[in-house]
Amino acid sequence: MITLDKVTKQYGKQEVLNNITLQFEENKIYGLLGRNGVGKSTLLKMISAQIFQTSGEILVDGKNPFKNPDAREKICFVKESGFGAPLKVKKIFEYAKDMYPNWDEGFKERLLTHFKVPVNKQYDKLSRGNKTIIGLIIGLASRAEYTFFDEPSLGLDAFNRYEFYDYLLEDFQKYPRTIVISTHLIDEVKNVFEEIIILKDQSVLMNGNVQELLGEYFTVQGNAGAIDEYVNRYKVMEVETFGNSKIVHFKGNLTPEDHRTMVQKGIQVQEIPLQKLFVLLTGEEKHV
């Protein structure tokens, strides 16, 4: 388990993260979400001992990753920035094999063949998509107990993105571990996440099981008068009006009676999709 207790990170006078308390449990896939600049990459860098926190405590299986190499060996962090060294691709994989104790060479070769990676080329001469694929292969083949993917879809076409997530889920079923995915393409991976963490304003806005959280937020669409009769008792987040019709997004434990009655009156009721919920929660406050 990875634990963060009251962790804060500042660069000079600029505070990036403030008083973060979190747990990443074993054998779960987490979605780490937040708008640009909110501190997602900073959070992952601190956990993987690439930068120091300003205050607070970070433990990987009860150990400080900065002071314990065996704790750091449990983490594979696939960064958005890729690899800076001007090396051939095959040399990068040789280094990765030596770095991760659970490395699966056979799985690496399978992925290289599937994604047609040019292993004899210089890494810095590759396309953005090929650079991304190399990082994803390392993340999967590392079989690290804790694997972080920071924006794993950069430069990939839709086909390769879906292929990657298929491989990830297939391998996760065989070799469970903790995986954290920081991404903006939320709708594409909403069915991958078991848990989500949303950051906003330097802190944790939301943290919990995806299905449980989504069960608290609803969208209704239909006749404005009929909708108003029921949704005003809930916390309305956004209203869109089209003539006599409305779309209302709200939070609340929708009672079975209200749900049944609204459907009988021709009102469409559904849970708010994760992407839309993210936009509503992390956007500017709206008065409705």
Side-chain angles (χ1 to χ4, degrees):
M1 179 184 293
I2 295 174
T3 59
L4 292 84
D5 183 30
K6 299 179 181 178
V7 172
T8 293
K9 178 61 181 177
Q10 291 179 307
Y11 292 102
K13 295 183 178 181
Q14 181 184 3
E15 189 172 70
V16 180
L17 294 168
N18 177 50
N19 202 35
I20 302 293
T21 296
L22 284 173
Q23 287 187 344
F24 293 91
E25 297 179 359
E26 294 179 352
N27 304 333
K28 289 186 177 182
I29 301 178
Y30 288 82
L32 179 60
L33 312 178
R35 297 179 68 176
N36 285 339
V38 78
K40 301 186 299 297
S41 296
T42 297
L43 182 68
L44 297 179
K45 288 177 182 177
M46 288 190 296
I47 297 171
S48 54
Q50 298 185 27
I51 58 174
F52 284 103
Q53 67 267 30
T54 304
S55 62
E57 184 178 54
I58 299 174
L59 298 176
V60 177
D61 291 338
K63 297 180 179 180
N64 183 325
F66 268 105
K67 298 179 180 179
N68 294 274
D70 56 331
R72 293 196 297 273
E73 286 181 352
K74 296 181 178 184
I75 300 172
C76 177
F77 180 19
V78 180
K79 295 182 287 187
E80 175 186 351
S81 57
F83 306 94
L87 297 170
K88 281 192 174 182
V89 172
K90 61 182 179 182
K91 181 58 74 172
I92 291 175
F93 282 109
E94 288 174 13
Y95 287 138
K97 181 180 178 180
D98 293 336
M99 188 178 301
Y100 300 108
N102 298 328
W103 181 264
D104 189 320
E105 184 70 8
F107 190 37
K108 181 219 57 174
E109 290 296 331
R110 177 185 167 197
L111 293 171
L112 287 177
T113 300
H114 180 84
F115 288 107
K116 300 179 173 62
V117 175
V119 295
N120 290 312
K121 287 191 175 182
Q122 287 282 117
Y123 176 82
D124 56 350
K125 304 297 183 184
L126 297 179
S127 67
R128 172 71 265 188
N130 273 326
K131 289 178 180 178
T132 296
I133 287 172
I134 289 166
L136 300 183
I137 291 174
I138 290 173
L140 291 177
S142 74
R143 296 262 167 80
E145 292 179 43
Y146 303 101
T147 305
F148 305 152
F149 293 102
D150 190 12
E151 294 296 344
S153 301
L154 286 177
L156 297 186
D157 58 32
F159 179 82
N160 278 331
R161 293 199 299 270
Y162 282 108
E163 288 285 285
F164 162 66
Y165 288 116
D166 284 345
Y167 272 113
L168 184 149
L169 288 174
E170 174 191 326
D171 203 58
F172 178 79
Q173 294 298 320
K174 296 177 181 176
Y175 302 95
R177 62 264 207 196
T178 300
I179 296 174
V180 182
I181 301 171
S182 170
T183 181
H184 288 90
L185 300 177
I186 298 170
D187 271 347
E188 285 193 0
V189 290
K190 61 186 177 184
N191 295 324
V192 175
F193 302 148
E194 182 177 355
E195 307 277 328
I196 56 170
I197 298 166
I198 299 179
L199 302 180
K200 182 182 180 183
D201 298 332
Q202 297 85 46
S203 61
V204 177
L205 176 67
M206 177 178 285
N207 175 24
N209 179 272
V210 175
Q211 295 306 316
E212 291 177 2
L213 292 172
L214 289 179
E216 300 176 3
Y217 296 87
F218 293 89
T219 294
V220 292
Q221 180 176 358
N223 178 270
I227 285 177
D228 289 343
E229 184 179 347
Y230 295 97
V231 301
N232 287 338
R233 70 192 71 178
Y234 300 103
K235 181 182 178 182
V236 175
M237 303 173 69
E238 184 179 78
V239 178
E240 303 170 56
T241 304
F242 307 93
N244 293 326
S245 297
K246 270 186 179 181
I247 298 176
V248 179
H249 309 289
F250 66 91
K251 177 183 180 181
N253 294 316
L254 185 63
T255 67
E257 182 181 355
D258 279 354
H259 191 171
R260 182 171 55 253
T261 304
M262 283 193 282
V263 171
Q264 289 172 348
K265 293 194 174 187
I267 298 171
Q268 299 177 38
V269 182
Q270 63 181 7
E271 290 182 354
I272 298 179
L274 183 56
Q275 178 86 43
K276 178 63 177 180
L277 178 59
F278 171 77
V279 171
L280 290 172
L281 291 172
T282 61
E284 298 296 326
E285 294 289 337
K286 295 183 179 181
H287 300 285
V288 295

